[in-house]
């Protein structure tokens, strides 16, 4: 039997149309119907005294009102939405009776005796008799606490998604993008308008598309992908390393309808890991090179000493002497290479002294001018009265020679060019040396050596390898060159910064800690 038939006592089998000759008597009273409703309802007389309430009103207020005594409201205490106390005589039901009008949209907070508070939307309405006289009122109270909490949670979630630096993206099981937060815009370069409606392949490199197909297949099975590291492609084409977490999205029935993904840009971490591995590799190489160079240097000392002794003993002229002289020259070249290896390894016998860098550069440039091609000009811009730096003068001279020789080779023997050497005192910031070879704890005052050329320049791929002892673009036998330079800088507590572009020359800037509290530098002879 239908609810309508139950309420109106329509017997089974009665015709669909109700005959006016057959009056229908309801089985339940009006109050019975109110009690059965799931929303809180109560009534009052014209003075506001409660005359009836249903079970839902008791559940909402947490108490049983006293009929004929409690006035205006069924609740224990009332509060306004702003948190201030609301007197019962000013509650919406009291206002409706006093002003003889229905009240709508006035939210209140009802406090139960146990202290729990509920956000309520009341609908108080005055009741009148047949003559229009006010005889009481009826109030329906709708508890909207959960809706408010859900709305607040949704707002918080939206704020988190909007303010997150991570890319938070949703997509269908076919890979079509359905949402795209500002973090995704920042990481991948596409605006939400450009991304939403496109497939996720928009940011996936072609060679990794099969990887995304596998992710979508796992999502369809209800699996979650945690912290999956992969590469994605930004709008401008550059590659980005990301850590990806992907979860299936389900509807109210539990059916998987899509996926949400959080992508964190880990490119800097990857670069740092790569640099750490490279530094560890080079440190191992340096230790090996230092050990070999030390032993080789000892052997060379004996070999060169004996050959020079033989040259002194043999009469002049003697047919063997030219051969021995050539052997000494080759031995000296080998000895120079071992010194470079020891410098790269940060080993060897160093003589610490206070050095005026401008004087040292002037001295070295004068000595090596004759070994440079005639088409290469050396210009000096040396600061006077620099504070001294502390280091091994011989190693510092080798550093300058290597940098000038490297600059001259970049210009080439058949082209005219300039090698510009400059010294200065500069204030520095630790952030200036992120990723720079050498020490990372650079003081705020540094003496700087700048070696600039207008040669062929260096592309970015080569620039990352120029201090690697196993990498060279020079002819065989050139020696360690810039690898030795980096070793000397490390041993002197400095750092290197390189700026270069193909066709625009190169600038090497070497930063040495300035010695404070030392009045005069020892002049390099």
């Amino acid at each position: 039997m239908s609810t309508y038939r139950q309420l109106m006592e329509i017997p089974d089998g009665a015709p669909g149309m109700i005959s006016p000759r057959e009056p229908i008597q309801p089985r339940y009273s009006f109050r019975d119907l109110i009690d059965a409703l799931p929303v809180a309802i109560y009534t009052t007389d014209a003075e506001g005294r409660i005359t009836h309430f249903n079970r839902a009103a008791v559940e909402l207020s947490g108490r049983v009102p006293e009929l004929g005594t409690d006035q205006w409201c069924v609740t224990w205490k009332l509060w306004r939405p702003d948190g201030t106390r609301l007197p019962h005589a000013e509650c919406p039901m009291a206002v409706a009776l006093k002003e003889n009008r229905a009240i709508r949209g006035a939210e209140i907070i009802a406090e139960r005796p146990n202290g729990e508070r509920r956000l309520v939307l009341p609908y108080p309405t005055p009741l009148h008799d047949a003559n229009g006289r006010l005889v009481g009122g009826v109030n329906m109270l709708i508890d909207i606490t959960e809706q408010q909490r859900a709305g607040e949670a949704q707002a918080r979630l939206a704020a988190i998604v909007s303010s997150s630096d991570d890319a938070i993206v949703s997509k269908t099981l076919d890979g079509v993008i359905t949402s795209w937060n500002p973090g995704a815009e920042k990481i991948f370069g596409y605006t939400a308008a450009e991304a939403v409606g496109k497939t996720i392949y928009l940011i996936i490199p072609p060679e990794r598309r099969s990887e995304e197909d596998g992710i979508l297949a796992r999502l369809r099975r209800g699996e979650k992908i945690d912290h999956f590291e992969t590469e994605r492609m930004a709008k401008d084409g550059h590659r980005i390393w990301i850590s990806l977490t992907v979860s299936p999205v389900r509807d109210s029935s539990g059916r998987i309808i899509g996926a949400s993904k959080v992508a964190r840009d880990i490119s800097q971490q990857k670069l740092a890991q790569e640099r750490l591995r490279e530094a560890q590799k080079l440190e191992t190489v340096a230790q090996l090179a230092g050990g070999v160079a030390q032993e080789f240097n000892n052997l060379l000392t004996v070999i060169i000493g004996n050959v020079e002794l033989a040259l002194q003993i043999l009469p002049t002229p003697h047919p063997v002497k030219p051969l021995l002289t050539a052997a000494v020259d080759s031995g000296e070249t080998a000895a120079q290479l071992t010194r470079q290896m020891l410098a790269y390894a940060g080993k060897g016998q160093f003589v610490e002294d206070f050095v005026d860098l401008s004087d040292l550069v002037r001295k070295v440039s004068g000595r090596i001018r004759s070994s440079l091609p005639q088409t290469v000009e050396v210009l000096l811009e040396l600061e006077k009265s620099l504070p001294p730096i502390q280091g091994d003068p011989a190693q510092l001279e080798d550093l300058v020679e290597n940098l000038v020789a490297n600059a001259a080779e970049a210009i080439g023997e058949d082209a005219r060019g300039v090698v510009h050497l400059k010294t200065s005192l500069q204030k520095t910031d630790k952030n200036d040396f992120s990723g720079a070879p050498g020490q990372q704890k650079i003081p705020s005052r540094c003496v700087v050596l700048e070696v600039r050329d207008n040669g062929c320049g260096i592309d970015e791929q080569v620039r990352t390898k120029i201090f690697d002892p196993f990498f060279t673009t020079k002819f065989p036998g050139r020696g360690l060159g810039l690898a030795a330079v980096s070793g000397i800088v490390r041993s002197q507590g400095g750092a290197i910064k390189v700026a270069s572009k193909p066709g625009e020359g190169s600038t090497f800037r070497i930063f040495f800690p300035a010695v404070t509290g030392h009045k005069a530098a020892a002049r390099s002879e």
Side-chain angles (χ1 to χ4, degrees):
M1 183 182 295
S2 69
T3 303
Y4 183 82
R5 288 178 181 275
Q6 285 179 329
L7 293 175
M8 299 304 177
E9 295 184 323
I10 299 176
D12 290 337
M17 297 297 292
I18 301 174
S19 172
R21 300 173 187 173
E22 301 175 1
I24 301 173
Q25 297 297 326
R27 176 181 298 176
Y28 299 109
S29 69
F30 177 71
R31 290 189 174 187
D32 291 334
L33 294 176
I34 289 178
D35 285 341
L37 292 176
V39 294
I41 295 177
Y42 68 92
T43 61
T44 71
D45 60 19
E47 284 69 39
R49 293 184 292 267
I50 296 175
T51 57
H52 183 73
F53 54 85
N54 67 354
R55 287 188 297 270
V58 174
E59 293 173 0
L60 175 63
S61 63
R63 62 185 290 270
V64 178
E66 293 185 17
L67 296 179
T69 301
D70 284 349
Q71 196 175 26
W72 315 121
C73 308
V74 298
T75 54
W76 179 252
K77 293 179 182 178
L78 294 176
W79 306 85
R80 296 184 179 91
D82 64 4
T84 59
R85 184 71 181 270
L86 177 63
H88 276 62
E90 297 178 16
C91 73
M93 184 60 158
V95 174
L97 292 174
K98 290 174 182 178
E99 299 182 3
N100 195 13
R101 64 183 180 89
I103 303 296
R104 300 291 184 265
E107 292 181 358
I108 61 172
I109 297 174
E111 183 177 318
R112 292 170 170 170
N114 63 3
E116 182 185 2
R117 295 184 179 186
R118 309 295 292 181
L119 182 65
V120 176
L121 192 60
Y123 289 85
T125 303
L127 297 175
H128 305 88
D129 61 13
N131 297 320
R133 183 172 59 90
L134 178 68
V135 295
V138 60
N139 197 0
M140 179 175 68
L141 305 170
I142 299 179
D143 187 345
I144 59 172
T145 307
E146 302 308 324
Q147 293 93 316
Q148 183 203 40
R149 289 174 179 171
E152 290 175 349
Q154 186 70 21
R156 285 194 297 270
L157 178 60
I160 291 170
V161 170
S162 179
S163 62
S164 175
D165 290 332
D166 294 336
I168 302 177
V169 178
S170 62
K171 60 187 177 182
T172 69
L173 291 177
D174 295 324
V176 177
I177 299 168
T178 54
S179 70
W180 187 266
N181 77 328
E185 293 186 5
K186 181 180 177 182
I187 292 175
F188 300 114
Y190 293 98
T191 65
E194 292 172 320
V196 173
K198 306 290 194 309
T199 70
I200 200 67
Y201 294 129
L202 180 71
I203 59 172
I204 299 178
E207 72 275 10
R208 289 187 179 269
R209 290 196 171 187
S210 59
E211 173 185 284
E212 179 65 14
D213 295 340
I215 290 175
L216 290 173
R218 292 176 62 184
L219 289 169
R220 292 188 187 99
R221 296 194 297 267
E223 297 181 27
K224 180 180 178 181
I225 295 94
D226 276 322
H227 306 299
F228 176 66
E229 293 186 1
T230 185
E231 270 190 318
R232 290 296 180 259
M233 188 166 57
K235 183 178 180 179
D236 62 7
H238 80 275
R239 300 296 182 94
I240 306 163
W241 272 101
I242 64 169
S243 176
L244 189 64
T245 297
V246 191
S247 303
V249 174
R250 302 175 186 270
D251 62 14
S252 58
S253 66
R255 184 171 59 94
I256 298 172
I257 58 173
S260 65
K261 60 189 292 184
V262 179
R264 174 162 294 180
D265 185 350
I266 59 170
S267 301
Q268 292 302 317
Q269 293 94 311
K270 282 289 185 180
L271 179 60
Q273 291 172 3
E274 183 180 339
R275 285 174 175 167
L276 177 60
R277 286 195 296 268
E278 187 69 15
Q280 291 171 337
K281 182 189 77 173
L282 293 180
E283 179 65 24
T284 301
V285 171
Q287 292 177 359
L288 178 61
V292 171
Q294 196 81 51
E295 295 299 323
F296 192 49
N297 191 56
N298 294 337
L299 293 173
L300 282 174
T301 300
V302 175
I303 293 171
I304 294 173
N306 285 325
V307 174
E308 287 179 340
L309 181 61
L311 282 171
Q312 294 176 6
I313 294 174
L314 291 174
T316 303
H318 193 283
V320 178
K321 274 197 167 185
L323 300 177
L324 295 178
T325 301
V328 171
D329 292 341
S330 296
E332 292 292 348
T333 301
Q336 173 65 19
L337 180 58
T338 61
R339 285 195 294 273
Q340 290 183 352
M341 292 175 66
L342 289 169
Y344 172 72
K347 297 184 177 181
Q349 297 179 348
F350 305 135
V351 179
E352 290 288 328
D353 201 354
F354 295 105
V355 179
D356 184 316
L357 188 61
S358 292
D359 279 0
L360 184 139
V361 170
R362 185 181 294 107
K363 170 187 171 183
V364 173
S365 63
R367 185 173 68 228
I368 65 175
R369 283 179 193 267
S370 59
S371 63
L372 301 178
Q374 293 184 352
T375 55
V376 175
E377 182 182 4
V378 177
L379 295 180
L380 302 180
E381 185 181 346
L382 306 178
E383 183 77 19
K384 296 180 180 180
S385 303
L386 283 175
I389 62 174
Q390 192 168 8
D392 185 320
Q395 277 206 326
L396 293 171
E397 289 180 6
D398 285 346
L399 178 145
V400 175
E401 288 182 5
N402 272 296
L403 288 173
V404 174
N406 183 74
E409 289 172 2
I411 294 170
E413 294 184 359
D414 300 328
R416 303 194 66 84
V418 176
V419 178
H420 188 184
L421 285 83
K422 178 182 177 181
T423 58
S424 61
L425 177 66
Q426 295 186 16
K427 290 184 177 180
T428 56
D429 187 280
K430 63 180 181 179
N431 295 325
D432 295 339
F433 302 98
S434 177
Q439 303 295 325
Q440 298 305 305
K441 295 182 179 179
I442 304 298
S444 58
R445 293 174 74 249
C446 283
V447 175
V448 182
L449 168 63
E450 182 177 298
V451 181
R452 185 172 71 249
D453 66 70
N454 60 347
C456 60
I458 313 169
D459 64 37
E460 184 176 359
Q461 185 176 4
V462 172
R463 192 165 65 247
T464 61
K465 302 177 181 178
I466 57 176
F467 298 109
D468 191 326
F470 299 106
F471 178 81
T472 181
T473 59
K474 310 301 182 184
F475 52 83
R478 170 68 177 83
L480 291 179
L482 293 177
V485 168
S486 69
I488 293 172
V489 171
R490 286 198 307 272
S491 67
Q492 307 298 324
I496 309 173
K497 293 189 72 175
V498 183
S500 184
K501 289 183 179 180
E504 298 183 13
S506 303
T507 300
F508 287 75
R509 302 177 73 210
I510 318 297
F511 296 79
F512 298 103
V515 176
T516 58
H518 192 271
K519 295 182 179 179
R523 298 289 177 178
S524 301
E525 300 299 332

